[in-house]
Amino acid sequence: MTPKDIIETLNEWLYKHRISIAIAILYTVVAISLMAPMASSRIINGMFGDTASHVGYVAQARTAIIEGQFPLRVAPLEGNSWRYPGFQFYSQLPYFIGGWFYKLVTPNNPYEAYKLVIILALIIGGFYTYRLGYQLTKSRIASILGGIAYMSAPYLLNNIHARGAFTEAIAQGILPVVLYYVIQCYLTGKRRYLIISSISWFCLAVTHIITFVYGSLFIGLLALVVIIQTRKTDFSFKRLIVPFQSYGLGWLLGFYFLAPVVFISPYLSIRRQLEVINPFSTNTYTPLANLLSPTSLPPEPSQSGLAGTYGLHPAIGWILLAAWGVTMYYHYFAPSLPPKLQETRPYMLGLLWVFGVSLFLTWSPVDIWSILPRQLWVTQFTFRFLTHVMWAGSLLTAYAMVLIFRRRLDRRHLIIGILVIVLASRPWLPAPKGNLTVDQLKQEPLFRYSGALDYLYRPPIRTLYGKAELPLLSPDWFPGYGTWNTFVNHPLILDAELRYPAWEEGENPVIFIEGEVPLERIANTAALEVHFDGKVIASFPLVSRELKEKVPLPPLDDSKNDFGLKFVVNGATHDGQPLNIRVKRLYLDGMLAKNTLMPVSETEPNCEQKGVSTVCEITVTEEANIVQLPVLYYPDMLKVRVNGQPSQRPFAVHHYDYNLTSLDLKPGTYTIKTTFHGLAWANWISGLAWLGLIGLIISPKIGRSKD
């Protein structure tokens, strides 16, 4: 092919797709304009949202890519660099794309890479809303406006600017793609739509679990309404085969990610949070007046006039609300619809239902959550249902434009419509606030909020180990901003009894405690008491800044399987607040050698990161048989090799409130290689599914080449 032929082919392609290219350019301009609060490349927008955390994760994603991780599984710097699997349990695709942008496009600025991912999601979400709207309404102008309505929806802007909900915003860009190709599968049953639909479901699953779960349910609701409406005229069960195949294949493609979420999450710290926080308790964010408000206002009064999270004012937006009202009127009360809408009337009704049900769940005036399965509590906040108000309302916007203007829509309506929609979204673009610079974040790119603790594996303690740092938090704790301080500064939790299993015969445990006492806060005198099963077994006056004591534990009754430890401070502080003693060491000693550690403080200096693996050179002595590695423990998700051979089953030993991978080894010198690889059987299922998909893609081409 000559250069002239290439140019002619390119020109033909550009001419053929000129309208789509023009619409994509329009959406790019709109997307960039909606990113105005993030215009700065130097200072990260957001005082209280999670933007900085996600930018830090983009930076860590680049490090993971350089390590050779594919797919992304662990955040290399998070949790003391102990291989925290945030990407495995939380999200992969947005950070993977952001990491590559940071590596190749914006190598000096992870914030710019972060913004590029969001802009791309906005464009894709708007464009596929337009494509589906055009298929349903046959009106290009109305559908273009529907896409802009989706891009500028108040909740999407809240996620981008107020909450800094990076992965949810990207999922909102993917959801219209999923919806479009599911409908193509249903209408045509073509192989290419099956392939693309499967990939789009996979992308949504590995981006945001909550949007994937509820997107499945609400797309199912839309399908149910359409089936009911067309059951006598244009429906057969055969048409459902391809959509179900695409959904099932999407699950299989993402099974390496979804299976750990399903099977391992009961042991992760976030599960406790999901089990006790009823979404109904979060509807204070979404009173009906605010949902219907034409402008951005906090849901509750405050002295500053600001919401607890600056700019977080969930609302429907009057563009989408008006579209729902107009379409509702024409569907139920108008004598007739325009001829080109008659064929897609079932979809119109389905969208009305999706909008209404999701709005009801957002407002949630009655506690229906108590009677729903606990698994659905995964949504956490009722305002998350506004995602489904968004896509239903944006498509209804296209319907409403056709219903109001009929065939009279022209470019004037397009220009005026763009201005009206964008201006209507203006109140949800908050004034930029922030003081964290990109250079500061690059120095320490950590996921600095409770999400950095969400996916810690925390099984109950079954065995006491000598030299293992004792937990400071109750087994019932769940991640939050307050408990982050426990992991960073190790304050001793006072007046709370933690229970531990009984020690073995022949052991004589002694508590060793080292800490730092803030003497300046003590009003007069104070003493630290150690309680054992409700009895005081030691008391130390707090007269020195350095605390260093040891307390032998009394004999335990043979009938008891566990015991309780509690630390109590007697004495007042100047400010009346509890006294926090910063813990440096808190462990038991006097255990048998088989239950005594080489703690991570001793093993970590002998370890280094080689690609995706942690490699340690360890010498085990007679005094301690348990080797504690600087790698967070997750059952069946680690590949551990000792001197080149697969190890016996590793297990978890606590280090404060972390659980680290440990091995029981005989005295000797060992090379230990540890790699986080996920669930092997789930990896195989996904691998085979991807091979099958590739086969599905190339098989028609192979067939044609043989001809």
Side-chain angles (χ1 to χ4, degrees), residues 161-385:
H161 299 300
R163 296 183 63 215
F166 176 58
T167 58
E168 187 171 354
I170 305 309
Q172 288 170 321
I174 296 172
L175 190 55
V177 184
V178 172
L179 182 64
Y180 177 81
Y181 285 110
V182 166
I183 290 178
Q184 303 315 307
C185 286
Y186 176 74
L187 293 177
T188 70
K190 291 182 178 179
R191 179 194 302 227
R192 68 172 182 269
Y193 293 135
L194 166 63
I195 293 169
I196 302 174
S197 179
S198 302
I199 295 173
S200 66
W201 275 118
F202 161 77
C203 291
L204 185 63
V206 299
T207 295
H208 196 245
I209 289 289
I210 297 170
T211 305
F212 175 71
V213 170
Y214 278 97
S216 302
L217 294 176
F218 278 103
I219 291 175
L221 174 60
L222 174 65
L224 179 62
V225 175
V226 171
I227 290 170
I228 292 173
Q229 290 294 304
T230 60
R231 65 190 185 280
K232 295 181 179 179
T233 58
D234 189 32
F235 172 73
S236 67
F237 284 101
K238 185 178 179 180
R239 299 182 68 174
L240 296 176
I241 294 175
V242 176
F244 274 113
Q245 286 177 333
S246 73
Y247 184 66
L249 184 54
W251 261 89
L252 294 177
L253 295 174
F255 210 63
Y256 73 93
F257 175 82
L258 294 170
V261 171
V262 173
F263 294 104
I264 305 298
S265 63
Y267 305 100
L268 304 183
S269 52
I270 193 174
R271 174 55 68 93
R272 177 65 179 163
Q273 184 180 25
L274 297 178
E275 288 175 348
V276 300
I277 297 181
N278 185 334
F280 183 69
S281 65
T282 69
N283 70 356
T284 53
Y285 286 99
T286 54
L288 188 59
N290 279 72
L291 289 175
L292 303 180
S293 174
T295 191
S296 179
L297 293 172
E300 292 183 340
S302 66
Q303 188 172 358
S304 64
L306 303 175
T309 297
Y310 172 70
L312 178 53
H313 310 149
I316 303 168
W318 269 46
I319 297 297
L320 305 185
L321 188 64
W324 186 50
V326 167
T327 312
M328 182 84 73
Y329 168 77
Y330 275 93
H331 186 275
Y332 287 105
F333 302 108
S336 64
L337 296 179
K340 60 183 178 182
L341 298 186
Q342 287 291 351
E343 184 179 348
T344 62
R345 186 170 189 153
Y347 292 90
M348 181 194 301
L349 181 60
L351 293 169
L352 289 172
W353 270 93
V354 170
F355 189 104
V357 172
S358 54
L359 174 57
F360 176 81
L361 291 173
T362 305
W363 174 34
S364 192
V366 294
D367 183 11
I368 62 172
W369 297 97
S370 294
I371 61 175
L372 293 177
R374 286 292 179 93
Q375 289 81 356
L376 295 180
W377 288 23
V378 68
T379 189
Q380 296 175 298
F381 305 101
T382 58
F383 55 63
R384 282 199 163 114
F385 289 105

Side-chain angles (χ1 to χ4, degrees), residues 54-77 83-103 117 166-167 202 205-207 253-258 260-261 611-612 637 675-679 683 690:
H54 293 290
V55 176
Y57 245 30
V58 168
Q60 293 198 58
R62 182 176 76 165
T63 303
I65 290 169
I66 293 171
E67 280 185 357
Q69 289 189 41
F70 181 80
L72 297 184
R73 293 193 186 271
V74 300
L77 306 179
R83 317 305 286 170
Y84 176 72
F87 300 130
Q88 173 69 72
F89 287 106
Y90 178 49
S91 180
Q92 294 184 341
L93 184 62
Y95 300 112
F96 183 73
I97 297 172
W100 276 106
F101 279 167
Y102 183 28
K103 186 175 187 294
V117 181
F166 176 58
T167 58
F202 161 77
V206 299
T207 295
L253 295 174
F255 210 63
Y256 73 93
F257 175 82
L258 294 170
V261 171
V612 299
M637 302 188 75
T675 309
F676 187 99
H677 72 115
L679 294 175
N683 295 342
W690 279 102

Side-chain angles (χ1 to χ4, degrees), residues 6-26:
I6 294 174
I7 293 172
E8 288 179 355
T9 302
L10 179 61
N11 287 335
E12 289 176 4
W13 185 89
L14 291 174
Y15 182 79
K16 181 180 179 181
H17 297 90
R18 65 191 183 282
I19 296 176
S20 294
I21 293 170
I23 293 170
I25 292 172
L26 170 64

Side-chain angles (χ1 to χ4, degrees), residues 18 46 78 129 195 206 213 267 329 333 387 413 442 481 496 539 563 577 591 605 661 688:
R18 65 191 183 282
E78 205 65 43
T129 302
I195 293 169
V206 299
V213 170
Y267 305 100
Y329 168 77
F333 302 108
T387 292
H413 296 94
K442 286 166 64 178
Y481 289 90
S539 179
F563 64 94
Q577 298 298 314
M591 320 301 283
T661 302
L688 293 173

Side-chain angles (χ1 to χ4, degrees), residues 99 130 153 187 197 220 302 331 408 434 465 554 562 594 667 669 674:
Y130 148 74
L187 293 177
S197 179
S302 66
H331 186 275
R408 296 189 296 274
Y465 293 99
D562 65 354
K594 68 173 185 174
T669 299
T674 308

